[in-house]
Amino acid sequence: MSSILEVYRKFEIEVNRAEGRYLWDTSGRRYTDMFSGLAVTNFGHRPPAVIEAVSRAMERYAHLSNLFPERNQEELADELARRVMPGGKVFFCNSGAEANETAVKAARKYFDGEKYEVISFLNSFHGRTLAMLGATGQAGYRDGFGPLPEGFLHAEYNFLAAVEDKIGSKTCAVIVEVIQGEGGVIPAERDFIRGLRKFCDENHILLIIDEVQTGMGRTGSFCGYEHYGITPDIVTMGKGLGGGLPLAACIMNPKT
């Protein structure tokens, strides 16, 4: 019996190797990986460029703490800022959930703790840490883990009036996926996202776009929000950013 804690129900396929869009089991049978590593392997399994970059880094050092400046990290931060939010600042972490936690912390810090409530949406998914379970708008993910951190309110997706009903004097941010992934691949309507941007501006609220699943070109543009003609205050990325490695980022507008 395996010592691995059973969290997910797994397929009865023992994968021997993977390359590009294919998986092979131990008997040599080939499968097309339609999961893309749960939106992680945007560029396929074992992309040569990623393997080369990782190998080159490992030849220099196994790990360099954030107590030292690191050229590769700085170059990646510059490239992400250029593509996502020119002039912005980038915080790297290990997972999309951590990136979303960072975004919420940044929003609360921006208001010095005077405003701390975050509006998210029913059917949303933002990660499995305790705080992000609070932000996630699906009760099934939260059941059994309470009490969760306070300060998260859930509004109906694609319905701007529902957001207006939730706003209060303590609201600091709205966090939204432009396409709800775990919620069933539900795109946001153009007027809804543009209305959110206008609503946040008028009420001095930060707009956080969760691009953990939709980023890195999965919608045809580098980030999904680009299709809506708006500029977020904070963007979070993960999954495809690491191409199979634990890498995520929170990109913040200079004002945050």
Side-chain angles (χ1 to χ4, degrees), residues 14-251:
E14 186 175 350
V15 177
N16 182 51
R17 68 185 181 94
E19 188 164 350
R21 63 180 180 272
Y22 298 115
L23 308 173
W24 285 264
D25 65 17
T26 52
S27 68
R29 185 174 182 180
R30 190 181 76 174
Y31 304 83
T32 299
D33 181 8
M34 301 297 288
F35 291 100
S36 298
L38 288 179
V40 169
T41 55
N42 285 24
F43 309 106
H45 292 279
R46 301 177 64 247
V50 173
I51 293 174
E52 180 184 354
V54 172
S55 299
R56 190 166 59 246
M58 291 295 288
E59 288 173 357
R60 295 171 61 193
Y61 34 72
H63 171 70
L64 192 65
S65 77
N66 58 9
L67 296 177
F68 300 93
E70 209 286 316
R71 183 65 179 272
N72 288 340
Q73 189 179 84
E74 292 171 355
E75 289 178 353
L76 177 57
D78 289 344
E79 181 66 14
L80 283 176
R82 183 185 71 81
R83 287 175 174 267
V84 177
M85 198 172 295
K89 297 297 183 180
V90 180
F91 178 85
F92 290 115
C93 47
N94 300 301
S95 68
E98 289 179 51
N100 285 332
E101 289 243 7
T102 300
V104 170
K105 288 170 68 178
R108 290 180 172 180
K109 182 67 173 176
Y110 179 70
F111 292 102
D112 288 327
E114 294 181 4
K115 298 168 70 172
Y116 62 89
E117 290 182 345
V118 176
I119 299 172
S120 61
F121 294 91
L122 297 173
N123 219 35
S124 64
F125 180 82
H126 298 291
R128 297 176 187 271
T129 61
L130 282 178
M132 289 305 103
L133 286 177
T136 291
Q138 299 186 57
Y141 286 106
R142 301 194 299 266
D143 289 347
F145 295 108
L148 299 176
E150 65 177 18
F152 295 97
L153 306 174
H154 303 104
E156 185 177 343
Y157 192 61
N158 274 328
F159 187 40
L160 195 59
V163 181
E164 295 171 350
D165 287 342
K166 296 290 183 180
I167 188 175
S169 61
K170 298 298 183 182
T171 307
C172 70
V174 173
I175 184 169
V176 63
E177 304 160 277
V178 294
I179 300 175
Q180 289 189 333
E182 296 287 326
V185 191
I186 303 170
E189 296 172 0
R190 182 177 177 84
D191 287 347
F192 175 65
I193 295 297
R194 293 175 70 89
L196 276 182
R197 177 68 279 176
K198 184 173 184 290
F199 175 79
C200 289
D201 287 340
E202 292 173 346
N203 291 277
H204 193 40
I205 296 169
L206 300 183
L207 178 61
I208 303 168
I209 303 289
D210 179 345
E211 294 273 1
V212 173
Q213 289 206 37
T214 50
M216 296 300 295
R218 293 189 70 87
T219 67
S221 60
F222 190 74
C223 285
Y225 76 80
E226 296 175 68
H227 297 291
Y228 296 85
I230 59 103
T231 300
D233 297 302
I234 303 176
V235 175
T236 59
M237 302 186 73
K239 290 187 179 289
L241 179 61
L245 297 173
L247 177 63
C250 180
I251 304 103

